[in-house]
Amino acid sequence: STQSTWEYIHVMRVYGILVQSLHPDPIVWASFFYNNEGNDGKRKRRDADIALRVHRDYSFRVRCGYCTATEHNRPPLLRLPTDEEWAALQTLQTSDARYLAAAAAADEGMLRIERSSLFAEPKIVIWRQSHGCAYSLICEPHENRVLASRFLSMFMSTLAEQFRSATPGVAQPKELLLRPDEMISLANQFLPCGQLLFTTAALQKHLHTSADLSGPRV
């Protein structure tokens, strides 16, 4: 029936999408939510909570990669750096080859958020990052996680093409921040009403070229 079809579509809707910085601190640049809870009075707290969780997951992966990476014939550390060592390393990260290799390798991750005052039901967060900018898709536990990861890759590449003058994914994506309506329009186009779509390269190009970039709001 029509009613059951719409109920199914509602169930398959993702919870939201969030774009943030990773260096030096997690700063939310944009977020879109596709339900009442996500857009309630706790939205800023929810944004900050998701961003912090993603930042911690990313940092942990970088630490693990740092301790096992080898470069210039230096052996792996085979242990996680202490908090003191890690704090000192943060000030030298742009020149430490081992850190740069670990940061580049920590390009994606997934984490689970349990029920809390911010989330009535558990959520799964799939994230991808490039050059210190993380894109996260917040999903229900039953959502297709492979499709969610593919969406993030496609969305990131589309934004990179759209903002050629300053590719999103750098530490300070000024174009992305100065032209938020275009990003919102693309999110609407590729994630209509929060529904994940199976896309090919041809469909991705079509959706991009046919997007109304005048800035409709989510």
Side-chain angles (χ1 to χ4, degrees):
S1 67
T2 302
Q3 181 178 359
S4 61
T5 299
W6 281 108
E7 287 174 351
Y8 176 77
I9 291 175
H10 173 75
V11 169
M12 296 306 292
R13 184 179 299 167
V14 302
Y15 187 85
I17 183 171
L18 184 141
V19 184
Q20 69 177 86
S21 67
L22 292 172
H23 303 303
D25 299 308
I27 299 175
V28 176
W29 286 327
S31 65
F32 324 118
F33 294 99
Y34 300 96
N35 51 65
N36 293 332
E37 181 185 79
N39 292 291
D40 65 13
K42 300 177 182 178
R43 177 167 179 167
K44 288 186 177 181
R45 288 175 53 201
R46 192 173 291 108
D47 280 356
D49 182 78
I50 295 170
L52 182 59
R53 290 172 186 269
V54 170
H55 185 266
R56 286 174 175 171
D57 189 44
Y58 165 76
S59 297
F60 176 74
R61 292 172 186 273
V62 174
R63 278 205 196 197
C64 291
Y66 182 83
C67 73
T68 57
T70 58
E71 42 83 26
H72 300 305
N73 297 319
R74 291 166 58 189
L77 297 178
L78 299 181
R79 65 173 177 83
L80 289 177
T82 65
D83 290 341
E84 291 75 16
E85 291 172 337
W86 192 247
L89 177 65
Q90 297 300 290
T91 63
L92 304 172
Q93 58 179 266
T94 56
S95 60
D96 187 288
R98 192 197 296 268
Y99 179 93
L100 293 175
D107 58 350
E108 62 180 331
M110 182 172 63
L111 58 96
R112 180 182 175 91
I113 301 178
E114 298 296 344
R115 293 185 182 90
S116 68
S117 60
L118 297 177
F119 301 95
E121 298 295 334
K123 298 291 180 283
I124 299 295
V125 178
I126 296 104
W127 60 266
R128 283 182 172 271
Q129 72 88 18
S130 177
H131 298 89
C133 180
Y135 302 78
S136 302
L137 202 62
I138 303 94
C139 304
E140 304 298 338
H142 60 260
E143 190 59 85
N144 187 325
R145 301 175 193 183
V146 174
L147 185 59
S149 181
R150 288 186 59 187
F151 163 80
L152 287 176
S153 296
M154 176 268 305
F155 189 60
M156 290 169 65
S157 67
T158 300
L159 289 178
E161 182 179 350
Q162 178 67 24
F163 297 92
R164 292 188 185 92
S165 59
T167 302
V170 298
Q172 297 293 331
K174 295 180 180 179
E175 288 291 326
L176 187 64
L177 298 177
L178 291 174
R179 295 153 61 187
D181 285 350
E182 294 181 35
M183 182 172 62
I184 292 172
S185 296
L186 290 171
N188 285 341
Q189 185 79 341
F190 286 92
L191 202 65
C193 297
Q195 297 176 55
L196 283 173
L197 304 176
F198 288 94
T199 58
T200 62
L203 180 57
Q204 175 185 350
K205 182 177 180 180
H206 170 73
L207 290 173
H208 186 191
T209 56
S210 61
D212 178 7
L213 299 180
S214 60
R217 295 290 176 178
V218 171

